[in-house]
Amino acid sequence: MKIELPKKVLFIINNLQLAGYDAFAVGGCVRDSILARKPQDWDITTSAKPEAIKEIFRRTVDTGIEHGTVTVMIGKDSYEVTTYRIDGAYEDSRHPKEVRFTNCLEEDLRRRDFTINAMAYNDDVRLVDVFGGMQDLNHHLIRCVGDPRERFSEDALRILRAVRFSAQLDFPIEPDTAKAVKELAPNLKNISAERIQTELVKLLTSPHPERIQDACELGITKVVLPEWDAMVGVKQNTIHHKYDVAEHTLHTLKHVKRDKYLRLTMLFHDMGKPAMKTTDEKGNDHFKGHALESEKIARTVLKRLKFDNETIRIVTKLVCYHDYRMEATPANVRRAMNRIGVELFPYYLAVRLADAKSQSTYMRREKIENIVEIRNLYKQILMENQCVTLRQLAVSGRELMELGMKPGRELGAMLSELLEYVLDDPERNTKENLCKYVKEKMEKETGEDSGKDSRDFRLYEIFGTVADCPSVLFWSIWKSAGNQPVGCFFHAHGRTAPEQQISGGNYAPGADHCGNVYTGKVFLPVSLSHGSGFCINANPSGCTVSEKP
């Protein structure tokens, strides 16, 4: 058998051979090449000791030198080169206590996990297959090298890897190997969460994610994902479903593409159903609130398995909204895009579609047509660049502060209110229109507040000219009767003071210069207007101030 080795792999093997050592491509790259798959990595095994490897190649990294592994750098590519070795006793179901280097390739292949991964190749010797890997490839079997109990006792992660390879290659696990998996599955408790996570993602993103059910039947999920076992056998006696919760989940996994976020979402999307299941007097099952419970479970499991924060954010949001249904109208879709996120909306649609395809035939066509209509509206909204986020609003917090709003919770609430206003009709998203909306809202709220003490407020414009050169200028609003202050504010140089309601002590700092015309707008109680007992004073003296409604 001839395998086409990459040029850089040949370069490494040839240089090791020229130095007097044996060298072979080994493991998964050989297996994938035989299966006409493109290997993701090329690993090389050699009789050369690590020190010799480092002498032969100019750029190397000590990635696992205590176990005989040196990474050889060629350009931007890296290749792991490992000395033939024999592993000593394993004490933690993961690492050998010690390793011994050997000159025998067969001894090195003997320590590997599965026969299909225990083959080596170079152009001189061709395929080296001591343990029947080629036969197992032909028979489509996952079989351990030697005694499966020994292999799984050495590294318990191999138990999960057996199911992962089964899912990736669509090979069943050989009976003796499967028996050892079931017997030793509890040892997975000794494996780190990070290593479990890696294998679980590879299993889920494989061509056959439904083989996670094999992991359940072999006792693996009971240790690493007991939440899966809780779904098994939970009936869904409703016209919308024909499978139990676990079976439904298996079908949804197959109805989304091989994407980590989508596969994880489908894994978790109904995990809350067992806890939320109720049955009415007619025998119909209900799962109200299961989406929120599923989100909670997803967050717990993802954190337990040490997933990154971005994965947790995306998956939990998709799980939360997986059952979010709506009539296909532009306003509904804009609002859904805002809540779910523009970038996540295609994922949401894929999740909805997979869920619908995995249910009963009852109204399936209508459900799918609804999703298609929503997708078309989503594309239209993107093409027309309609506003669906705060960032797309025609006004920002700065404009609202210029209208007299103060930074803080109320300003944020107003921006959210404006967004809801625009989500209903994108034509409303103009600066002029939104500022008008805010002004009217402020006047209305001011009137409602003043009603408590029987005072109506009205917007006044105050203007004047600075006669001399003060360092600070402020206007003070006084109630004539009893010289009772209503409030004051400073005028900022070069800017128009924002509209604001004047009540005792409110002011904003600023400055002005000689001869500048300044203007400002204030909300004043009608009862304090000219003719009803209020006056305007300027400080320092020499400023001329007048007012007009």
Side-chain angles (χ1 to χ4, degrees):
M1 171 175 285
K2 170 70 174 175
I3 292 177
E4 196 69 33
L5 297 176
K7 291 181 180 179
K8 292 180 180 180
V9 174
L10 274 174
F11 173 82
I12 295 172
I13 291 175
N14 290 341
N15 275 275
L16 288 165
Q17 290 174 331
L18 287 171
Y21 301 103
D22 293 335
F24 295 82
V26 69
C29 60
V30 176
R31 176 201 69 226
D32 289 344
S33 296
I34 294 171
L35 293 172
R37 297 167 178 251
K38 184 179 180 180
Q40 292 184 343
D41 301 295
W42 287 86
D43 294 330
I44 296 155
T45 188
T46 179
S47 59
K49 302 298 188 291
E51 296 77 12
I53 298 170
K54 294 172 68 173
E55 289 179 3
I56 295 169
F57 299 100
R58 186 168 58 88
R59 296 172 59 216
T60 63
V61 179
D62 296 349
T63 48
I65 198 166
E66 67 277 9
H67 294 109
T69 300
V70 174
T71 296
V72 174
M73 305 295 298
I74 302 179
K76 295 181 180 179
D77 298 322
S78 60
Y79 301 87
E80 287 191 355
V81 181
T82 303
T83 305
Y84 299 161
R85 76 179 197 226
I86 300 171
D87 292 342
Y90 285 74
E91 295 184 341
D92 61 356
S93 297
R94 179 182 177 185
H95 293 121
K97 183 178 179 181
E98 60 181 0
V99 299
R100 291 186 294 108
F101 298 137
T102 176
N103 291 320
C104 179
L105 173 61
E106 181 177 338
E107 290 295 333
D108 182 82
L109 297 177
R110 188 185 304 277
R111 70 179 176 82
R112 297 178 183 269
D113 52 8
F114 305 110
T115 59
I116 59 174
N117 296 334
M119 295 182 287
Y121 178 91
N122 67 24
D123 285 343
D124 296 329
V125 180
R126 299 296 175 97
L127 185 67
V128 177
D129 178 17
V130 182
F131 302 102
M134 193 68 182
Q135 179 178 327
D136 285 339
L137 280 180
N138 289 332
H139 292 168
H140 291 194
L141 284 177
I142 305 296
R143 183 197 307 269
C144 280
V145 175
D147 184 350
R149 287 158 190 81
E150 287 185 15
R151 298 292 82 77
F152 294 145
S153 296
E154 290 166 352
D155 185 352
L157 188 67
R158 291 171 174 171
I159 295 167
L160 185 51
R161 281 166 59 87
V163 179
R164 187 256 287 185
F165 283 122
S166 175
Q168 288 180 325
L169 302 174
D170 196 22
F171 290 3
I173 300 174
E174 181 268 332
D176 284 345
T177 300
K179 185 177 180 181
V181 166
K182 196 167 187 176
E183 179 182 328
L184 297 175
N187 289 350
L188 282 165
K189 68 180 184 296
N190 300 320
I191 302 301
S192 69
E194 292 85 353
R195 296 182 81 204
I196 297 292
Q197 176 208 128
T198 299
E199 292 299 321
L200 179 63
V201 169
K202 288 181 178 179
L203 191 164
L204 290 173
T205 55
S206 73
H208 296 278
E210 71 275 8
R211 287 192 180 268
I212 192 173
Q213 182 59 25
D214 293 349
C216 177
E217 294 170 1
L218 292 170
I220 294 173
T221 55
K222 183 179 180 180
V223 181
V224 303
L225 192 65
E227 293 83 0
W228 175 272
D229 295 51
M231 295 193 297
V232 175
V234 177
K235 300 297 182 182
Q236 301 188 89
N237 186 21
T238 164
I239 57 175
H240 292 283
H241 285 279
K242 60 180 179 179
Y243 305 114
D244 70 28
V245 178
E247 289 174 316
H248 166 75
T249 301
L250 292 176
H251 284 275
T252 64
L253 285 167
K254 292 188 290 184
H255 282 306
V256 291
K257 64 182 181 180
R258 293 167 60 184
D259 174 271
K260 180 178 76 169
Y261 300 137
L262 287 175
R263 290 282 173 90
L264 284 170
T265 297
M266 302 326 299
L267 175 71
F268 292 115
H269 82 285
D270 276 352
M271 273 192 179
K273 279 189 171 180
M276 306 308 291
K277 179 178 178 178
T278 59
T279 305
D280 63 26
E281 63 278 0
K282 295 182 180 180
N284 296 316
D285 294 331
H286 303 277
F287 303 91
K288 294 179 180 179
H290 81 275
L292 292 178
E293 182 67 15
S294 297
E295 178 196 13
K296 179 181 176 183
I297 293 172
R299 190 180 306 278
T300 299
V301 174
L302 292 170
K303 286 184 177 181
R304 186 176 76 218
L305 294 179
K306 310 296 184 184
F307 278 86
D308 60 278
N309 289 335
E310 182 70 358
T311 298
I312 295 173
R313 180 189 72 83
I314 292 173
V315 173
T316 54
K317 174 161 276 193
L318 290 172
V319 170
C320 179
Y321 282 97
H322 83 270
D323 202 32
Y324 182 71
R325 289 162 285 180
M326 72 193 89
E327 182 184 353
T329 68
N332 285 345
V333 176
R334 284 191 293 268
R335 191 159 277 107
M337 289 170 65
N338 169 257
R339 292 176 180 173
I340 297 168
V342 176
E343 76 286 357
L344 289 185
F345 205 76
Y347 284 85
Y348 156 76
L349 293 173
V351 168
R352 285 277 318 277
L353 189 60
D355 205 7
K357 287 181 177 180
S358 304
Q359 295 174 0
S360 70
T361 57
Y362 176 73
M363 295 190 68
R364 179 188 291 172
R365 181 172 181 175
E366 291 85 347
K367 294 173 185 176
I368 293 175
E369 287 176 350
N370 171 257
I371 296 167
V372 172
E373 290 174 8
I374 292 171
R375 178 186 291 156
N376 291 336
L377 287 170
Y378 163 74
K379 291 179 180 179
Q380 179 184 345
I381 290 166
L382 288 182
M383 288 178 59
E384 296 178 0
N385 195 30
Q386 296 178 19
C387 176
V388 295
T389 66
L390 285 172
R391 191 178 299 126
Q392 294 173 289
L393 275 178
V395 296
S396 65
R398 176 173 296 181
E399 282 83 6
L400 298 195
M401 287 188 285
E402 289 176 356
L403 293 175
M405 295 196 72
K406 296 179 181 180
R409 186 177 299 174
E410 290 184 1
L411 188 144
M414 177 57 75
L415 286 171
S416 297
E417 183 176 333
L418 289 176
L419 180 58
E420 290 294 322
Y421 177 66
V422 168
L423 289 174
D424 285 330
D425 181 2
E427 297 298 323
R428 296 169 174 172
N429 191 33
T430 66
K431 183 176 181 180
E432 179 183 3
N433 186 55
L434 298 184
C435 287
K436 179 182 177 183
Y437 179 93
V438 174
K439 290 176 184 177
E440 291 176 352
K441 183 82 173 180
M442 291 173 67
E443 290 185 32
K444 179 179 178 182
E445 291 180 353
T446 300
E448 291 175 353
D449 291 341
S450 64
K452 296 177 182 178
D453 56 7
S454 301
R455 294 191 301 176
D456 293 327
F457 281 78
R458 188 174 178 185
L459 184 63
Y460 286 84
E461 181 178 9
I462 304 173
F463 61 95
T465 304
V466 182
D468 53 11
C469 294
S471 58
V472 176
L473 167 74
F474 72 90
W475 302 328
S476 57
I477 315 300
W478 297 82
K479 183 176 181 181
S480 298
N483 252 5
Q484 179 183 353
V486 176
C488 61
F489 65 87
F490 290 83
H491 175 68
H493 169 59
R495 293 184 298 177
T496 298
E499 298 174 3
Q500 56 184 293
Q501 178 179 329
I502 300 299
S503 59
N506 285 348
Y507 59 89
D512 213 325
H513 294 282
C514 298
N516 280 338
V517 175
Y518 57 89
T519 62
K521 296 180 180 180
V522 292
F523 287 99
L524 294 175
V526 172
S527 60
L528 297 182
S529 62
H530 253 300
S532 300
F534 92 97
C535 61
I536 302 174
N537 296 327
N539 185 27
S541 60
C543 298
T544 303
V545 179
S546 58
E547 62 85 21
K548 66 178 181 180

